[in-house]
Amino acid sequence: MHLDVAVAKTRKYATPESGDTIEMIERPGGGLSFVVVDGQRSGKSAKAVSNIVARKAVALLAEGIRDGAAARAAHDYLYTQRAGKVSATLNIVSVDLESRTLVLSRNNHCPAIVSLNGKIEIFDEPSQPVGVQRGTKPVIHELPLAPGTTVVIFTDGLTGAGERKGQPLNVPELVRELIGRQLTAEALAQTLLNEALTADDQRPADDISILVLAVSALNRSDDTRWLKVSMPL
Amino acid sequence: MHLDVAVAKTRKYATPESGDTIEMIERPGGGLSFVVVDGQRSGKSAKAVSNIVARKAVALLAEGIRDGAAARAAHDYLYTQRAGKVSATLNIVSVDLESRTLVLSRNNHCPAIVSLNGKIEIFDEPSQPVGVQRGTKPVIHELPLAPGTTVVIFTDGLTGAGERKGQPLNVPELVRELIGRQLTAEALAQTLLNEALTADDQRPADDISILVLAVSALNRSDDTRWLKVSMPL
């Protein structure tokens, strides 16, 4: 099997900085975790909040702490630091090579979308953001690490794209259509982003982050892992 | 300006796991840091060591602690945990958007190679690995964040490739030649890795990690940051 992950992150038009933070960390038992955080509001204050939450979550995951506990701790930490007054959404997506599962942990009103061999499932159970309500827990789904699985996670800048014009993107519908085209993880993320930018006339009304994770049956001849980063300076 | 980073990591032939750990973390003041650690020996024990060192370094960098202090702390931590008996090499490469500099911190006998508009500099001052000698410090170079800059960092699996056959790779010479070809960061890393695999008859004698960072004058129309991961499962 082979894993491909693509993460795209762009910022609200005319703000100096995205309020979203995305971090990746290796799991000490094997595998990777991705943490996607959208801090309340936008710009510098949002970035400070999302940084606190992401940092706490990755520090714990790096020590081998399970995803549910890391999400709870990230909530408690933000809640304590900011006296329950500031919220953030938090998604943790883990490829756990110990349990051979995908673990999706969600503190976000945006759904997580999973496709298994073209069949789409929308995980949209009620879910609280972290930081504001005592005792907040994540909604967790654990799936077998199986070829043909695609996971799409995003912040609400994607679902909100086009709202200004009264034509918000229907993200689940769009993903359903794109999954049929058998795109790579990168092409899928790029297409979703392009649709959002078009809906917002190339001036995003909010920070947008998109994570696409694809597990394929591909067996490459070599064992090399790759990490690639591209960003404007 | 635009930043492209490519990291390739492969493991010693017939070992279950690479002893190298590479992590990336966002700097709270803006920018990114990459941490490349090669734990002593190979396999599971090496991985445990490199994980300890990388985890400590990224946790501190994520809190805004300067690179030199993070490297010293990672050393002290390993030295204390393992009573000075286990070593690891540690490279930290930072794109610091506060100071608009590239910071190269090196606790590794392998050189760091920097090209500025085709002119190559080899940073190969004597440098101690972390973990074994009390008070170990990194060798640090700070360079302006300028277009036309390429940084190549690697673990000793690259320089050691071909040694089994008495024909070790001359990595600085190879980089000098490849820089002339104006490759992308990814193509440069891929070519270096291919040369190493060829020198080792496709059976790497050691874990190999390569990080290539390129700053170009390119100005893309959009502000999107990309992170891509590819790994066999």
Side-chain angles (χ1 to χ4, degrees), chain A residues 1-3 5 7 9 11 23 26 47 55 62 186 190 223 225-231 233, chain B residues 1-3 5 7 9 11 23 26 47 55 62 186 223 225-231 233:
Chain A
M1 289 197 293
H2 200 88
L3 172 74
V5 183
V7 182
K9 192 176 109 167
R11 61 180 192 239
E23 296 284 5
E26 203 176 333
K47 184 66 193 177
R55 182 152 45 89
E186 183 181 351
Q190 181 74 69
D223 265 334
R225 292 180 179 198
W226 281 94
L227 165 67
K228 291 165 217 165
V229 174
S230 158
M231 65 183 273
L233 290 179
Chain B
M1 288 196 294
H2 200 88
L3 173 73
V5 183
V7 181
K9 192 176 109 166
R11 61 180 193 241
E23 297 284 6
E26 203 175 332
K47 184 66 193 176
R55 180 152 46 87
E186 183 182 351
D223 265 335
R225 292 181 177 197
W226 282 93
L227 164 68
K228 292 165 215 163
V229 174
S230 158
M231 64 183 271
L233 291 178

Side-chain angles (χ1 to χ4, degrees), chain B residues 5-181:
Chain B
V5 183
V7 181
K9 192 176 109 166
T10 199
R11 61 180 193 241
K12 180 176 172 177
Y13 180 70
T15 51
E17 148 164 65
S18 167
D20 294 358
T21 297
I22 301 178
E23 297 284 6
M24 179 186 77
I25 198 93
E26 203 175 332
R27 298 174 72 84
L32 295 173
S33 291
F34 294 84
V35 173
V36 181
V37 186
D38 180 358
Q40 192 179 334
R41 287 185 289 266
S42 61
K44 233 181 171 53
S45 70
K47 184 66 193 176
V49 169
S50 66
N51 182 273
I52 282 180
V53 174
R55 180 152 46 87
K56 178 55 76 181
V58 294
L60 295 172
L61 293 167
E63 288 175 357
I65 283 150
R66 71 194 73 175
D67 297 35
R72 284 168 172 82
H75 161 76
D76 290 342
Y77 187 63
L78 178 62
Y79 183 86
T80 305
Q81 290 288 313
R82 298 297 184 94
K85 287 181 184 142
V86 182
S87 75
T89 69
L90 166 64
N91 287 89
I92 305 176
V93 179
S94 295
V95 179
D96 184 342
L97 294 181
E98 266 182 313
S99 60
R100 306 292 296 178
T101 58
L102 287 171
V103 184
L104 311 182
S105 163
R106 199 175 128 254
N107 287 99
N108 191 345
H109 56 285
C110 290
I113 306 180
V114 175
S115 159
L116 178 57
N117 296 320
K119 194 179 160 287
I120 303 262
E121 251 190 294
I122 314 277
F123 296 135
D124 60 356
E125 307 88 341
S127 161
Q128 298 292 328
V130 299
V132 283
Q133 197 169 315
R134 228 182 106 79
T136 292
K137 292 189 290 189
V139 178
I140 294 187
H141 288 276
E142 200 167 357
L143 314 166
L145 196 56
T149 305
T150 303
V151 176
V152 182
I153 299 289
F154 42 88
T155 58
D156 64 359
L158 186 66
T159 42
E163 252 173 16
R164 224 167 15 194
K165 298 196 287 183
Q167 298 173 313
L169 278 194
N170 185 336
V171 180
E173 209 38 63
L174 189 54
V175 170
R176 194 183 303 273
E177 186 206 320
L178 296 173
I179 286 288
R181 291 198 219 158

Side-chain angles (χ1 to χ4, degrees), chain A residues 35-59:
Chain A
V35 173
V36 181
V37 185
D38 180 357
Q40 192 180 332
R41 288 185 289 265
S42 62
K44 231 178 172 55
S45 71
K47 184 66 193 177
V49 170
S50 67
N51 183 273
I52 282 180
V53 174
R55 182 152 45 89
K56 178 55 77 181
V58 294

Side-chain angles (χ1 to χ4, degrees), chain A residues 146-184:
Chain A
T149 305
T150 303
V151 176
V152 182
I153 299 289
F154 43 87
T155 58
D156 64 359
L158 185 66
T159 44
E163 253 173 17
R164 224 166 15 193
K165 299 196 287 184
Q167 298 174 313
L169 277 194
N170 184 336
V171 180
E173 210 38 64
L174 190 54
V175 170
R176 196 183 302 274
E177 187 207 320
L178 295 173
I179 287 288
R181 291 198 218 157
Q182 312 242 342
L183 302 172
T184 61

